[in-house]
Amino acid sequence: MMNPSHIEHIGIAVVNLESAIGFYEKVLGLKCYKVEEVKEQKVRTAFIMAGQTKIELLESTDPEGPVGKFIEKRGEGIHHIAFAVENIEEQLSHAEAMGVRLIDSTPKKGAEGLDIAFLHPKSTSGVLIELCEKKI
Ligand code: CMX
């Protein structure tokens, strides 16, 4: 079993990072604590904490990247849910053995230094799921 300890973040695809940050800061009164580009994923990300829950805003840096294609097909909105796990490589093997289609068979480096890997939404009732692990 994967037994995730918590939802690490909720990813939201946006067209314009600065204007989306404006909504969260000026309307909701939350604070964006970091903006980071993740070149490998072709996104710029902004992080906001709402209590213990992290929101990751995602702006595409390339129309052919995953978030660019998502926005073109579906528009802005919730893009993925990320679960914090331990031993991410073992969790990927477990998921594959359970018949889940993996997007990443080995972890990649994501924002905030996390090791990340995605499960395909066609195997997960339509929700793109990210596994992530903070390795020390
Ligand atoms: N949530 C739910 N469904 C999604 C989806 C998402 N985020 N993205 C695509 N899909 C759906 C598509 O709508 C499509 O469904 P239909 O066939 O019913 O139309 C299906 O999945 C497959 O789509 P596709 O067009 O064949 O494939 P794409 O080229 O759109 O790629 C995916 C889809 C999920 C494989 C790709 O987006 C991917 O590799 N994602 C993982 C990486 C990523 O999202 N990185 C950005 C975040 C990085 C970070 O958090 O740091």
Side-chain angles (χ1 to χ4, degrees):
M1 297 290 180
M2 289 198 191
N3 293 326
S5 55
H6 59 285
I7 291 180
E8 211 284 333
H9 63 265
I10 297 170
I12 300 177
V14 304
V15 169
N16 182 287
L17 203 58
E18 277 65 35
S19 90
I21 291 169
F23 168 78
Y24 285 87
E25 292 197 329
K26 296 190 183 109
V27 180
L28 292 185
L30 300 171
K31 183 93 192 93
C32 168
Y33 65 88
K34 185 159 66 171
V35 172
E36 181 181 345
E37 182 168 352
V38 185
K39 288 209 163 71
E40 189 169 7
Q41 299 290 340
K42 300 188 167 110
V43 288
R44 272 199 323 132
T45 60
F47 294 97
I48 292 159
M49 291 303 293
Q52 297 188 343
T53 304
K54 188 193 290 175
I55 294 168
E56 181 188 56
L57 303 177
L58 301 151
E59 177 195 82
S60 180
T61 56
D62 179 343
E64 290 306 310
V67 172
K69 284 164 81 178
F70 176 89
I71 286 180
E72 195 194 324
K73 275 191 196 163
R74 299 176 165 220
E76 295 180 297
I78 293 181
H79 180 261
H80 65 266
I81 297 184
F83 290 94
V85 298
E86 290 182 354
N87 303 319
I88 189 167
E89 292 86 355
E90 275 176 36
Q91 307 311 343
L92 289 171
S93 303
H94 168 68
E96 193 167 34
M98 298 289 287
V100 175
R101 184 168 150 200
L102 306 183
I103 294 173
D104 304 302
S105 51
T106 55
K108 296 179 173 169
K109 273 290 165 209
E112 301 205 299
L114 298 175
D115 285 7
I116 64 168
F118 287 90
L119 309 181
H120 201 284
K122 290 290 174 196
S123 290
T124 60
S125 306
V127 176
L128 177 61
I129 290 190
E130 178 180 346
L131 304 180
C132 42
E133 181 172 21
K134 194 177 186 80
K135 294 215 165 125
I136 300 152

